[in-house]
């Protein structure tokens, strides 16, 4: 493993000194004002009547070689407390209808009309704040991490206070916004930020940006930006403290175990404290996450643990500082491990109350970021669960233009939350130390990740480390990647996510893109990806080789078809249907060939479908799998969708056949911009369960909500309840 790792590192370092530069374009002057701005969508303040607007937006989609058809212009002003934004989005003629999938805050999707403002406040082209508004005045705010290389780098779960309004005119629409400096993190005495603006227009199916971005990259790519210049250096805007107390009342019943929790109140809250203009201290006491939406169920045909993303608000701000160490299936830290423990009576994982927590995160200087977190969970004598203390420390240093070097330390200790140090067990611990190098070239073409992590336990077993090296290249017509991983036999990140260990993996990928002059097709091209896993004792245990062809249409719909060949060696018995049937024996191996497809419909349509499927060999038999979502939009008032998955598995005796069905209708009503009702129903015959989750949310003040949540699980045949819960929760965001 080591020779290949250092070969990767050598070549990646060489590319750093040979990478191309991005073009330096004229910036935008932010005007200092000493008078109030009224957010009414009428640009009659004197600062908006002057010159100095950002104009000449460039097309990003469907092409990237010309100015946008539907032009926009943006201007920025500021005073001691706010940064003000005015934006005018022009149409090609009179227009009174725009696409908004919902009136709910934090809209997402290429189908939504909207304008977004991206502020890279430390000029590192790696992290940024994004604020967006649609023509109906719906807001969204997010954090961008990892240079915005992919859409997953956009984190819409971050919430904060800011103000905006939108107004629709005959052939254009206007946004006025005011963002408190206390909402942002920035370097004191800064005289410039990196900035970009982008617009999505549904009628002309056009995405445009102020700074031109090549269309093979993401529209949020931070490598491409211009300077926002301040007339006077920015000063700290005074105290920055927010208190978010909550009161909740809930009851629950578990009919399977014959237990119930009577209706009882609970109290707790969070605090956000600005430590200077660039660091944030988050505190939480007795946090309650009952309003968090339930996970979307899946049909599980995998031999290993399935990953579900973090949804709890406390863990999401600056989450990349902690969660982006490692890679997809080798994560040294996974925050969903906190608040989950093993019920020693049943052997099942259950929720365990978090007593308190603290997190300090942000920038130390232009080049240094820090993240410190400590969380304590409670005791549960009925389940024989002892409290745990979790500590995470991360330090990141920017190197070269956009790359960074980081170290992470993770520790989990058994510690009784009531007895404190008196119950500390010095031999019951799990710790991890790691170092990561993230490569990002200035022109965004080269990227990579290299890391080594090691876990430590009382017995201190050998071979408890893991290493990974990956290098990616992406230009307009070609992309390629090569990755190598080596996961030790005794590598055990108890607070991370690594579903399997004791293997080595190599995974090459390459793809070509062609951009025809066509009214139908925007881009298309073939690709190949492969992965092979092996270890020293068994040799090759897994292979997956895929040849595919992708077509993206001008409508935004995309179709990908693929031919796959998979090899699987079972090192433990496995039931391919996961329905408690007869297992295939360990030590047996299988090579299967199957066809797959994936279709993403045009999201601008009122009704559209996404679909995916596999057809072909499956272990000793065959599989036909079809899944996807049907979506229907009733203006911005309601979204009705139906998730579905059907697996028809046919296996020779003595294994079971199976017809696995998962259906999940969802109804999302947005009655106003402050009142929402969501109901989610899931039927899964693999686990013999019907789940219903319904949630009413009233945003009665900025970032302050009343939630009413009801959840129930039933047996499908009798509709007898398994588990049910009812919660009411009220929180309030108070700025001091």
């Amino acid at each position: 493993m080591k020779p290949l790792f250092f070969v990767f590192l050598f070549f990646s370092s060489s590319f750093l000194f040979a990478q191309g530069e991005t073009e330096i374009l004229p910036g935008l002057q932010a005007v200092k004002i000493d008078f109030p701005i009224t957010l009414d969508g009428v640009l009659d303040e004197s600062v908006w009547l002057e010159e100095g607007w950002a104009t000449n937006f460039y097309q990003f989609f469907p092409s990237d070689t010309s100015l946008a058809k539907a032009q926009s212009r943006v201007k920025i002003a500021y005073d001691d407390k706010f940064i003000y934004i005015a934006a005018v989005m022009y149409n090609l003629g009179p227009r009174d209808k725009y696409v908004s999938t919902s009136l709910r805050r934090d809209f997402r999707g290429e189908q939504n009309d909207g304008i977004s403002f991206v502020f890279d406040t430390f000029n590192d082209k790696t992290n940024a704040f994004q604020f967006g508004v649609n023509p109906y005045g719906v807001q969204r705010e997010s954090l961008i991490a990892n240079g915005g290389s992919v859409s997953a780098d956009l984190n819409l779960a971050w919430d904060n206070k800011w103000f905006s309004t939108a107004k629709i005119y005959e052939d254009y629409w206007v946004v006025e916004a005011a963002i408190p400096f206390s909402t942002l993190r920035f370097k004191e005495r800064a005289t410039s930020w990196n900035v970009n603006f982008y617009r999505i227009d549904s009628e002309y199916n056009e995405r445009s940006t102020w700074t031109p971005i090549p269309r093979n990259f993401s529209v949020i790519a931070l490598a491409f930006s211009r300077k926002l210049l301040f007339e006077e250096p920015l000063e700290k805007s005074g105290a920055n403290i927010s208190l978010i107390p909550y009161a909740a009342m809930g009851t629950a019943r578990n009919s399977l175990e014959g237990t119930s929790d009577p209706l009882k109140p609970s109290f707790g809250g969070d605090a956000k404290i600005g430590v200077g203009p660039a660091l944030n201290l988050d505190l939480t006491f007795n946090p309650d996450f009952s309003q968090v939406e339930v996970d979307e169920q899946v049909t599980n045909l995998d031999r290993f643990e399935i990953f579900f993303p973090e949804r709890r608000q406390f863990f999401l701000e600056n989450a990349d500082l902690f969660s982006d160490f490692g890679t997809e299936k080798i994560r040294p830290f996974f925050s969903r491990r906190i608040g989950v423990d093993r019920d020693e009576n049943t052997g099942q994982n259950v929720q365990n109350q978090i007593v308190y927590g603290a997190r300090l995160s942000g920038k130390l200087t232009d080049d240094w970021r820090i993240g410190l977190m400590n969380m304590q969970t409670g005791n549960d004598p009925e389940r024989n669960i002892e409290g745990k203390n979790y500590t995470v420390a991360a330090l990141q240093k920017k190197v070269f233009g956009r790359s960074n070097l980081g170290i992470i330390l993770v520790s989990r200790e058994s510690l009784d939350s009531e007895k404190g140090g008196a119950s500390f067990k010095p031999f019951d611990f799990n710790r991890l130390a790691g170092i990561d190098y993230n490569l990002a070239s200035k022109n965004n073409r080269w990227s990579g990740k290299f890391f080594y992590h090691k876990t430590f336990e009382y017995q201190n077993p050998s071979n408890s480390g893991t290493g990974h090296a990956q290098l990616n290249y992406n230009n307009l017509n070609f992309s390629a990647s090569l990755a190598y991983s080596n996961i030790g036999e005794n590598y055990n990140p108890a607070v991370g996510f690594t579903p399997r260990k004791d293997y080595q993996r190599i995974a090459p990928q390459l793809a070509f893109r062609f951009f025809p002059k066509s009214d139908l097709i925007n881009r298309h091209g073939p690709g190949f990806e492969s992965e092979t896993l092996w270890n020293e004792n068994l040799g090759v245990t897994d292979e997956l080789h895929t040849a595919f062809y992708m077509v993206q249409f001008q409508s935004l719909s995309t179709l990908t078809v693929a031919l796959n060949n998979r090899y699987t060696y079972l090192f433990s018995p496995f039931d391919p249907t996961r329905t408690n049937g007869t297992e295939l024996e360990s030590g047996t191996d299988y090579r299967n060939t199957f066809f797959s497809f994936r279709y993403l419909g045009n999201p601008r349509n009122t009704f559209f479908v996404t679909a995916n499927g596999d057809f072909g060999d499956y272990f000793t038999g065959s599989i036909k799998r079809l899944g996807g979502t049907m979506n229907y939009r009733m203006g911005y008032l309601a979204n009705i969708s139906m998730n579905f998955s059907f697996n028809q598995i046919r296996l020779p005796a003595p294994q079971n056949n199976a017809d696995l069905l998962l259906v999940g209708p969802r109804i999302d009503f947005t009655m106003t911009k402050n009142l929402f009702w969501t109901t989610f129903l899931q039927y899964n015959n693999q686990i013999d369960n019907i789940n219903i989750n319904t949630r009413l949310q009233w945003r009665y003040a900025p970032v302050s909500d009343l939630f009413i949540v009801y959840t129930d699980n039933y047996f499908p045949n009798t509709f007898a309840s398994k588990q049910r819960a009812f919660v009411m929760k009220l929180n309030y965001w108070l700025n001091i």
Side-chain angles (χ1 to χ4, degrees), residues 56-58 60 196-198 207-213 219:
N56 292 328
F57 276 50
Y58 290 82
F60 172 78
N196 201 10
F197 318 118
Y198 70 88
R207 280 169 280 170
S208 57
T209 63
W210 183 45
T211 306
I213 299 177
V219 74

Side-chain angles (χ1 to χ4, degrees), residues 52-82:
W53 289 73
T55 58
N56 292 328
F57 276 50
Y58 290 82
Q59 253 191 19
F60 172 78
F61 184 92
S63 182
D64 61 359
T65 58
S66 64
L67 292 174
K69 295 179 181 178
Q71 276 296 320
S72 308
R73 61 188 182 110
V74 177
K75 190 170 185 181
I76 292 180
Y78 70 106
D79 58 21
D80 292 337
K81 293 186 177 181
F82 292 91

Side-chain angles (χ1 to χ4, degrees), residues 295-483:
D295 290 317
E296 184 177 319
Q297 294 183 15
V298 297
T299 300
N300 184 7
L301 297 177
D302 203 298
R303 292 175 291 157
F304 306 101
E305 182 183 11
I306 294 176
F307 179 83
F308 291 97
E310 177 63 87
R311 299 177 184 271
R312 297 172 295 180
Q313 178 67 31
F314 181 82
F315 295 99
L316 293 174
E317 184 169 357
N318 280 324
D320 66 290
L321 256 174
F322 304 98
S323 62
D324 286 347
F325 282 85
T327 189
E328 182 180 3
K329 293 187 178 180
I330 316 173
R331 299 175 185 264
F333 174 69
F334 180 39
S335 58
R336 282 188 67 144
R337 300 291 189 209
I338 300 175
V340 175
D341 216 322
R342 178 184 171 91
D343 185 334
E344 296 299 334
N345 300 321
T346 65
Q348 300 295 313
N349 287 333
V350 295
Q351 296 293 320
N352 190 34
Q353 179 64 37
I354 297 174
V355 180
Y356 60 80
R359 182 187 63 212
L360 178 70
S361 59
K363 283 271 193 177
L364 294 173
T365 69
D366 284 354
D367 295 338
W368 289 91
R369 298 177 75 206
I370 189 172
L372 300 172
M373 182 189 298
N374 183 265
M375 308 291 293
Q376 176 68 46
T377 61
N379 306 313
D380 190 339
E382 293 183 0
R383 295 169 169 172
N384 293 319
I385 294 175
E386 292 182 315
K388 302 289 192 303
N389 186 266
Y390 300 83
T391 300
V392 188
L395 187 65
Q396 190 179 85
K397 170 71 165 63
K398 187 175 79 169
V399 294
F400 307 108
R402 298 177 57 237
S403 305
N404 61 70
L405 186 68
I407 58 173
I408 185 170
L409 303 173
V410 184
S411 177
R412 189 195 71 179
E413 318 272 355
S414 288
L415 183 64
D416 190 310
S417 60
E418 298 175 359
K419 298 179 181 179
S423 68
F424 177 66
K425 295 183 177 181
F427 306 126
D428 187 8
F429 66 85
N430 179 275
R431 295 172 185 148
L432 178 144
I435 182 169
D436 285 41
Y437 172 60
N438 297 295
L439 167 68
S441 70
K442 289 183 179 179
N443 61 13
N444 218 39
R445 291 187 178 182
W446 292 97
S447 62
K449 177 177 276 288
F450 310 87
F451 62 79
Y452 180 77
H453 303 154
K454 184 175 176 62
T455 58
F456 303 88
E457 297 176 285
Y458 174 64
Q459 299 296 333
N460 198 26
S462 60
N463 198 15
S464 61
T466 182
H468 176 85
Q470 181 171 344
L471 189 62
N472 314 304
Y473 177 77
N474 183 5
N475 71 14
L476 183 63
N477 297 110
F478 174 74
S479 61
S481 172
L482 180 62

Side-chain angles (χ1 to χ4, degrees), residues 141-155:
E141 65 276 299
S142 64
L143 300 176
I144 302 175
N146 304 316
S149 299
V150 295
S151 60
D153 293 334
L154 184 74
N155 180 4

